[in-house]
Amino acid sequence: MRDLFKIALEFQNKGDLIKAKNVYNKILRTSDKNNYVLINLALIEKKLEKYSKAINLLQKSIQINPNIIEAHINLGNIFQLLNNHNEAIDYYKNALNINKNFEGIYFNLGNSYMSLEKFTEAATNYKKSKEINPKFYRSFNNLGLLERINENYEFAVDNYKKSISINPNYIHAHYNLMEILEKMHEHDRLKLSINEAKSIFGDHPIVLMFQSLILINSKKFDEAISLLKSVKLQSYKGITYEQKARYYELLGKSYDQKNKAKMAFKYFNLANKIDFNHPENKKFDKNNTLKQIRINRKYFNKKNIKTWKKITQKSNQPKNYFLIGFPRSGTTLLDTILRTHSQIDLIEDKPIVPEIKILFNKKMKGQYEQINKNDLEKIQNLYYDRINYYKENKSSKKIIIDKMPNNSIEVGFLHRIFPRSKFIFSLRHPCDCVLSCFINRFKMNDAMLNFTTIQDSVNFYNQIMSLWKLYKSNLPIDYFEIKYENLVLDLKKNITPLLGFLELDWEDSLFDFNKTALLRKKINTPSYNQVTKPLYKQAINRWQRYDKFLKIEKKLLKWINEFEYN
């Protein structure tokens, strides 16, 4: 039996999985309680993407002997691969009950918590893994990812550098370091990092990608295209989904700058396909957001609204200001301009409204008609607590604006909870808006998954704008619509009426809004690069170069007329 196991193991190590599988099954026909045969056979089934079979084999192994750590770890790994992170966490914890000094288990636990966006728990486990093994370079890299999420960019840089110092050949830490330096506009430090990576990896695709970024930022688009086209992605193992998508995105942006729309679209489309197929993104469902839009459109009719019991906000509560609009409509530009004002603070893209909506559904079961005063105050207080938590400037300013484009969906809810709310709605030519969403990559969630095809992007725009029109028609909301194009053409003329809506005066410092963006080093949106530069007109009517083959104008004509872009 031992000889057969040795033969099977040799086949497995050589990659001859079918022969190895046949030998392992032969052993099991004689002795079906051999744990290590069951575990090795499970690893083969995992490799063959037969995950159910692999899970059954590992669970059978645990039934025979629950103290073999490999079975628990591998079950955790499979469930992690399947994006079932809660199951993965349970098995990793079982493994820690067997051996609490295994740094790899803490690292894997951290990864599952990271995927669940439980960042405190993720950090705890990454730190534990590097305490056990101070040279566990992957934990430093992932701590860098967490620091970036928490907007502690220099701490992120330090962790990436620590990972590289332990293992200079860990290409992913180099990628993360170069990416964050580029988005922080630290171009001199970026060049040093590129040179360091090049000295180790030569003409590796990741090195060439960042070299091309330097060329793109210098407007040397032909050279960038030539360099990127020299890359043979298929020749390199270990290139991640994110890195492949970034590669195609850079080619798309380079061709777009050369006015070669068809080639640009080809590469933007490839980038979106990769994002859509990323295993981590399989947990998202675009239909969840579309379903919520349908629910809101069905509910917020005049008949239902008439049944609402009148509620009032306390006079000592500040007015609520929301900056909303379709993604890529100019909300980040408005954010940057407005936060330059001495009396305005902005909370950018934080999930505060989803948090209070969860509490609303829990307390009131989603019923808008009879709202209990005590429950209402709890929801309002939670909102203000979260606003104070996220405020960058802890000093008191006259106005705090909550900027989140997707809060457009929840205008009805927000008006009900905060009747004195004011809404700033950013508009942009519908075709430019839709195209820009398609050609820019977002941090993925249910809503953003709608931008991975041009057809879904058009549909999402139609759904959002139909809902916004309904809110304007059926609710007495206080709102101000402002067009991106007008801002670009004449900043003072078009921002002054908005400031009047906010009961503020013009300040000349607003002309220097791009300096505010540079000082903040904020990198959370696809617009991070544009808002650090003076206003430019190149993005206006970009869609016309693409519409010969995209044909989106006709599908959006209703909104082109509605917002007077015709």
Side-chain angles (χ1 to χ4, degrees):
M1 202 66 65
R2 187 176 295 174
D3 290 340
L4 281 176
F5 184 82
K6 187 177 178 182
I7 291 167
L9 197 58
E10 285 177 1
F11 282 135
Q12 190 171 1
N13 290 335
K14 289 177 184 176
D16 198 338
L17 302 183
I18 302 303
K19 285 183 179 178
K21 182 177 173 179
N22 290 338
V23 178
Y24 284 134
N25 280 321
K26 185 175 181 181
I27 296 171
L28 288 176
R29 283 194 289 273
T30 304
S31 174
D32 65 351
K33 293 186 178 181
N34 188 318
N35 282 88
Y36 289 101
V37 170
L38 290 167
I39 291 168
N40 283 6
L41 189 54
L43 291 176
I44 290 173
E45 298 292 6
K46 177 191 170 189
K47 193 90 173 175
L48 296 171
E49 299 184 4
K50 306 289 185 182
Y51 299 119
S52 295
K53 287 184 178 180
I55 289 167
N56 289 336
L57 289 162
L58 291 167
Q59 288 175 336
K60 185 176 180 181
S61 172
I62 289 170
Q63 287 173 356
I64 295 165
N65 185 350
N67 294 315
I68 295 179
I69 195 169
E70 290 86 353
H72 297 280
I73 293 172
N74 283 302
L75 271 167
N77 292 346
I78 292 170
F79 281 115
Q80 191 175 80
L81 188 66
L82 296 173
N83 281 316
N84 191 339
H85 293 287
N86 288 311
E87 285 276 2
I89 287 167
D90 288 342
Y91 281 107
Y92 290 139
K93 286 182 175 178
N94 290 343
L96 286 176
N97 289 332
I98 300 168
N99 182 355
K100 293 189 184 301
N101 295 306
F102 194 156
E103 68 270 23
I105 302 173
Y106 290 103
F107 177 76
N108 286 350
L109 261 174
N111 290 342
S112 278
Y113 281 123
M114 179 94 103
S115 292
L116 293 172
E117 297 188 358
K118 295 183 176 181
F119 301 128
T120 302
E121 293 89 338
T124 298
N125 282 282
Y126 290 141
K127 288 174 183 175
K128 183 68 177 176
S129 72
K130 71 183 181 68
E131 284 172 17
I132 295 170
N133 181 358
K135 293 194 177 296
F136 200 72
Y137 57 90
R138 291 192 293 168
S139 285
F140 286 99
N141 177 66
N142 285 24
L143 281 167
L145 296 174
L146 279 175
E147 294 290 7
R148 174 180 166 163
I149 289 167
N150 292 326
E151 298 172 12
N152 299 320
Y153 303 128
E154 288 297 344
F155 286 116
V157 168
D158 290 343
N159 276 288
Y160 297 143
K161 285 185 172 180
K162 181 66 176 175
S163 179
I164 291 166
S165 71
I166 296 168
N167 183 0
N169 294 311
Y170 188 46
I171 187 70
H172 302 303
H174 287 274
Y175 175 87
N176 290 330
L177 176 60
M178 290 185 285
E179 185 194 36
I180 199 170
L181 290 174
E182 189 266 330
K183 292 189 175 181
M184 289 168 66
H185 311 286
E186 294 283 353
H187 296 139
D188 290 337
R189 291 163 73 188
L190 172 61
K191 288 175 185 176
L192 289 173
S193 293
I194 292 171
N195 289 337
E196 181 184 1
K198 191 172 181 65
S199 70
I200 298 167
F201 303 105
D203 288 336
H204 190 283
I206 286 173
V207 177
L208 297 181
M209 279 166 57
F210 284 97
Q211 283 183 306
S212 75
L213 258 173
I214 297 292
L215 293 170
I216 290 168
N217 289 336
S218 303
K219 300 189 177 181
K220 297 177 180 177
F221 304 115
D222 286 323
E223 291 179 51
I225 290 168
S226 179
L227 189 62
L228 288 165
K229 296 283 276 186
S230 72
V231 173
K232 306 295 182 192
L233 277 184
Q234 64 274 15
S235 302
Y236 289 85
K237 292 182 179 179
I239 302 290
T240 66
Y241 281 86
E242 159 62 27
Q243 291 156 4
K244 286 178 185 176
R246 188 79 191 279
Y247 166 78
Y248 289 122
E249 180 192 30
L250 290 174
L251 266 171
K253 287 185 181 299
S254 298
Y255 277 114
D256 177 72
Q257 290 293 327
K258 292 295 294 178
N259 291 327
K260 295 183 177 180
K262 204 153 194 174
M263 287 298 288
F265 179 79
K266 170 187 172 181
Y267 289 110
F268 288 134
N269 198 37
L270 284 169
N272 280 319
K273 283 181 178 178
I274 290 167
D275 280 335
F276 182 81
N277 290 313
H278 193 309
E280 271 291 304
N281 294 335
K282 295 299 180 186
K283 60 190 174 189
F284 301 120
D285 185 349
K286 66 181 182 182
N287 292 310
N288 289 337
T289 308
L290 295 171
K291 180 181 177 182
Q292 186 59 56
I293 292 171
R294 287 195 298 273
I295 290 169
N296 290 357
R297 285 180 65 182
K298 184 177 180 180
Y299 176 79
F300 287 96
N301 58 62
K302 290 181 180 178
K303 182 180 177 182
N304 285 334
I305 292 165
K306 280 182 180 178
T307 67
W308 288 0
K309 180 182 176 182
K310 187 176 180 181
I311 59 173
T312 56
Q313 266 184 274
K314 289 182 178 179
S315 58
N316 63 343
Q317 285 183 340
K319 279 185 182 177
N320 300 81
Y321 298 88
F322 298 95
L323 173 51
I324 57 177
F326 199 74
R328 301 294 298 165
S329 63
T331 53
T332 301
L333 174 62
L334 268 172
D335 169 321
T336 310
I337 293 167
L338 291 172
R339 75 168 60 247
T340 307
H341 197 285
S342 64
Q343 294 302 308
I344 297 176
D345 201 357
L346 263 117
I347 311 297
E348 183 182 19
D349 297 329
K350 299 301 180 187
I352 305 173
V353 172
E355 281 189 59
I356 66 167
K357 185 75 182 288
I358 289 169
L359 183 60
F360 169 78
N361 287 331
K362 181 180 178 183
K363 293 285 185 185
M364 302 176 194
K365 313 300 181 191
Q367 299 299 311
Y368 289 89
E369 295 80 11
Q370 302 291 326
I371 292 187
N372 178 282
K373 183 180 177 182
N374 291 332
D375 287 339
L376 177 66
E377 287 185 9
K378 286 178 183 176
I379 294 168
Q380 291 171 341
N381 289 338
L382 174 62
Y383 180 82
Y384 292 120
D385 286 345
R386 301 308 287 157
I387 285 287
N388 288 327
Y389 174 80
Y390 285 119
K391 271 172 64 177
E392 284 186 22
N393 192 323
K394 299 304 178 184
S395 62
S396 179
K397 292 197 175 186
K398 184 177 179 181
I399 285 175
I400 300 172
I401 299 175
D402 182 352
K403 176 245 176 181
M404 173 70 89
N406 283 336
N407 284 345
S408 306
I409 297 168
E410 298 296 354
V411 167
F413 165 70
L414 292 169
H415 173 75
R416 182 63 171 143
I417 301 300
F418 304 106
R420 295 190 296 139
S421 295
K422 288 195 166 197
F423 298 93
I424 305 163
F425 197 93
S426 182
L427 290 170
R428 184 181 181 186
H429 192 292
C431 295
D432 272 331
C433 224
V434 165
L435 177 65
S436 189
C437 287
F438 177 76
I439 69 176
N440 284 280
R441 296 176 60 233
F442 296 85
K443 184 179 184 296
M444 204 56 72
N445 56 35
D446 289 340
M448 298 301 105
L449 207 60
N450 284 282
F451 299 135
T452 53
T453 73
I454 198 72
Q455 294 83 2
D456 284 346
S457 302
V458 169
N459 178 57
F460 198 46
Y461 188 92
N462 281 321
Q463 297 297 322
I464 292 279
M465 291 307 167
S466 294
L467 183 59
W468 172 239
K469 186 176 180 180
L470 179 141
Y471 285 143
K472 289 191 294 180
S473 173
N474 293 351
L475 292 167
I477 55 175
D478 194 3
Y479 68 92
F480 187 98
E481 291 180 339
I482 185 166
K483 290 184 176 179
Y484 166 83
E485 294 84 356
N486 292 344
L487 274 181
V488 171
L489 295 171
D490 192 329
L491 175 61
K492 184 174 182 179
K493 178 182 176 182
N494 290 284
I495 210 72
T496 300
L498 173 57
L499 292 173
F501 174 72
L502 301 174
E503 300 175 30
L504 296 173
D505 295 322
W506 168 265
E507 293 178 353
D508 285 342
S509 62
L510 299 179
F511 282 127
D512 295 323
F513 71 90
N514 54 308
K515 293 179 182 177
T516 300
L518 279 168
L519 288 170
R520 290 181 72 228
K521 292 189 163 100
K522 198 81 167 177
I523 58 178
N524 286 342
T525 76
S527 308
Y528 75 92
N529 204 32
Q530 290 100 317
V531 296
T532 59
K533 299 172 183 175
L535 290 171
Y536 67 104
K537 303 174 186 177
Q538 188 178 351
I540 297 175
N541 291 328
R542 174 192 265 138
W543 67 273
Q544 291 176 350
R545 292 189 272 123
Y546 288 80
D547 208 47
K548 293 174 186 174
F549 52 92
L550 288 187
K551 309 291 185 189
I552 59 174
E553 183 183 18
K554 191 177 289 187
K555 298 171 185 175
L556 296 167
L557 193 58
K558 172 183 177 180
W559 304 111
I560 293 169
N561 293 329
E562 176 82 20
F563 301 128
E564 298 181 356
Y565 276 104
N566 52 345

